[in-house]
């Protein structure tokens, strides 16, 4: 009975996330464009320009290089919404990590299916990005579990459930701040910001044009953009969970920290040139190693 109740809650939360997250993500993307323009000395587009762009794409004729590309993108969007529903309904954080990774794999498959040289290079780089950030993301989930085990009065048993953060006397960042720093590092990859925007740049001035979205157009490309908005909201939620404990106003602190982190990511995006994939892979795994040391310390404690 509890299983079906949890399933219904997750599905309902996923539907709500699919409605609310694109709105919030669109506003974040608009703020990103406005701040980036100011940093570059330009007037920049209006706040709702991302919405106008997506609406224009939705109105275009649906043209695809094959019959499966759109299906892969739809699956990627569905799993991203499911991951968001799991997280924001207080569900299992480890399951959320696995589901959002599955969403990324469907996007990679959509790029591979086009058989375009530019898309294939972008898909290869996207695969390398997943290889780079996935160890740190898994360490983040394990660190959350171990931190709750130290704080919750459950005889040393922790919890992967995000809702358990509201039962803590202190936020988990007090024990896992090295993991938090590591998550901020790989967040630059997850948010597709420079210097790690190797696979899908928002600009067409790189050597692979638009990377994995080169052969996508119309509603399919619009859905990829909305997918990116939803991912941004989920990843900022991951940042905020470090600062939540058993008080209602900790949610306000979490939101404020997430917004500050997003501003820092915009600042990094506008001040660093792209790097080679070798540097991205090595640096992300070094950061993951630091997170592993944090987990080892928690195990000793």
């Amino acid at each position: 009975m509890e299983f079906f109740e949890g399933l219904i809650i997750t599905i309902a939360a996923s539907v709500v996330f699919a409605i609310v997250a694109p709105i919030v993500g669109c506003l974040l993307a608009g703020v990103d464009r406005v701040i980036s323009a100011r940093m570059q000395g330009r007037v920049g587009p209006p706040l709702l320009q991302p919405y106008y762009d997506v609406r224009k794409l939705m109105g275009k004729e649906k043209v695809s290089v094959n019959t499966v590309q759109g299906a892969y993108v739809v699956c990627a969007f569905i799993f991203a919404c499911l991951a968001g529903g799991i997280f924001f309904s207080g569900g299992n954080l480890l399951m959320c990590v696995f589901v959002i990774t599955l969403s990324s794999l469907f996007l990679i498959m959509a790029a591979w299916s086009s058989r375009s040289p530019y898309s294939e290079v972008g898909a290869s780089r996207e695969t390398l990005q997943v290889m780079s950030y996935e160890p740190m993301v898994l360490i983040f989930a394990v660190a959350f579990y171990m931190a709750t085990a130290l704080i919750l009065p459950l005889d040393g048993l922790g919890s992967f459930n995000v809702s358990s953060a509201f039962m803590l006397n202190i936020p988990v960042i007090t024990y896992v701040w090295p993991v938090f720093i590591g998550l901020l590092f790989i967040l630059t990859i997850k948010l597709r910001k420079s210097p790690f925007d190797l696979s899908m740049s928002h600009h067409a001035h790189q050597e692979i044009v638009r990377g994995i979205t080169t052969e996508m157009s119309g509603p399919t490309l619009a859905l990829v953009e909305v997918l990116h908005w939803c991912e941004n909201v989920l990843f900022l939620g991951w940042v905020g969970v470090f600062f939540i404990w058993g008080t209602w106003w900790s949610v306000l602190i979490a939101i404020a920290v997430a917004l500050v982190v997003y501003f820092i990511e915009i600042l990094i995006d506008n001040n660093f040139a792209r790097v080679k994939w070798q540097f991205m892979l090595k640096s992300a795994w070094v950061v993951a190693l630091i997170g592993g040391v944090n987990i080892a310390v928690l195990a000793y404690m």
Side-chain angles (χ1 to χ4, degrees), residues 45-77:
L47 179 63
L48 295 179
Q49 187 61 48
Y51 164 73
Y52 300 143
D53 293 343
V54 168
R55 187 178 66 178
K56 182 178 179 180
L57 289 171
M58 293 296 291
K60 290 181 176 294
E61 181 183 359
K62 186 175 182 180
V63 179
S64 179
V65 295
N66 54 52
T67 58
V68 299
Q69 186 184 70
Y72 284 140
V73 173
V74 169
C75 289
F77 177 74

Side-chain angles (χ1 to χ4, degrees), residues 2-299:
E2 293 181 358
F3 169 78
F4 289 105
E5 289 180 357
L7 182 62
I8 293 173
I9 292 174
T10 300
I11 294 175
S14 300
V15 173
V16 174
F17 181 83
I19 298 172
V20 176
I23 298 174
V24 177
C26 179
L27 293 175
L28 287 173
V31 170
D32 187 343
R33 291 192 183 187
V34 171
I35 294 177
S36 296
R38 295 294 188 272
M39 288 181 178
Q40 297 169 13
R42 299 184 287 108
V43 175
L47 179 63
L48 295 179
Q49 187 61 48
Y51 164 73
Y52 300 143
D53 293 343
V54 168
R55 187 178 66 178
K56 182 178 179 180
L57 289 171
M58 293 296 291
K60 290 181 176 294
E61 181 183 359
K62 186 175 182 180
V63 179
S64 179
V65 295
N66 54 52
T67 58
V68 299
Q69 186 184 70
Y72 284 140
V73 173
V74 169
C75 289
F77 177 74
I78 291 174
F79 281 110
C81 292
L82 180 60
I86 293 172
F87 180 84
F88 286 101
S89 65
N92 191 292
L93 181 60
L94 188 61
M95 181 62 67
C96 173
V97 169
F98 289 149
V99 172
I100 196 63
T101 301
L102 185 59
S103 173
S104 300
L105 295 181
F106 270 107
L107 188 60
I108 293 173
M109 291 170 66
W112 277 113
S113 68
S114 67
R115 306 308 300 172
S116 163
Y118 297 113
S119 294
E120 289 187 357
V121 172
S124 298
R125 292 184 178 183
E126 182 72 14
T127 304
L128 287 168
Q129 288 184 187
V130 173
M131 291 174 58
S132 299
Y133 65 66
E134 197 62 24
M136 188 65 240
V137 173
L138 293 174
I139 287 173
F140 153 61
V142 174
F144 179 84
Y145 174 88
M146 298 187 72
T148 56
L150 291 173
I151 302 173
L152 286 174
L154 296 177
D155 298 327
L157 296 178
S159 174
F160 281 113
N161 290 337
V162 179
S163 58
S164 63
F166 291 95
M167 296 185 289
L168 305 178
N169 297 323
I170 54 176
V172 296
I173 193 172
T174 54
Y175 286 97
V176 295
W177 58 266
V179 172
F180 176 72
I181 295 175
L183 183 68
L184 293 185
F185 184 87
I186 62 101
L187 195 65
T188 308
I189 306 175
K190 300 287 283 182
L191 294 179
R192 304 187 184 281
K193 300 293 186 184
S194 185
F196 300 134
D197 57 338
L198 276 67
S199 66
M200 190 180 77
S201 174
H202 282 277
H203 311 285
H205 59 241
Q206 64 179 22
E207 77 281 5
I208 58 171
V209 196
R210 285 296 304 277
I212 58 179
T213 59
T214 301
E215 299 299 326
M216 298 179 188
S217 62
T220 301
L221 184 57
L223 188 58
V224 170
E225 190 64 26
V226 175
L227 166 65
H228 181 53
W229 295 346
C230 294
E231 289 178 335
N232 288 353
V233 174
L234 175 60
F235 301 149
L236 292 179
W238 289 359
V239 172
V241 78
F242 281 90
F243 298 88
I244 291 179
W245 69 97
T247 57
W248 66 268
W249 46 269
S250 66
V251 177
L252 301 179
I253 296 176
I255 294 174
V257 171
L259 292 176
V260 170
V261 167
Y262 193 69
F263 174 78
I264 294 174
E265 292 293 341
I266 296 174
L267 186 66
I268 293 172
D269 185 41
N270 285 276
N271 287 278
F272 288 89
R274 289 176 57 224
V275 298
K276 295 182 178 180
W277 67 265
Q278 292 92 338
F279 177 82
M280 176 188 67
L281 184 63
K282 292 177 182 178
S283 58
W285 280 39
V286 168
V287 170
L289 179 61
I290 297 174
V293 172
N294 191 180
I295 288 180
V297 172
L298 292 178

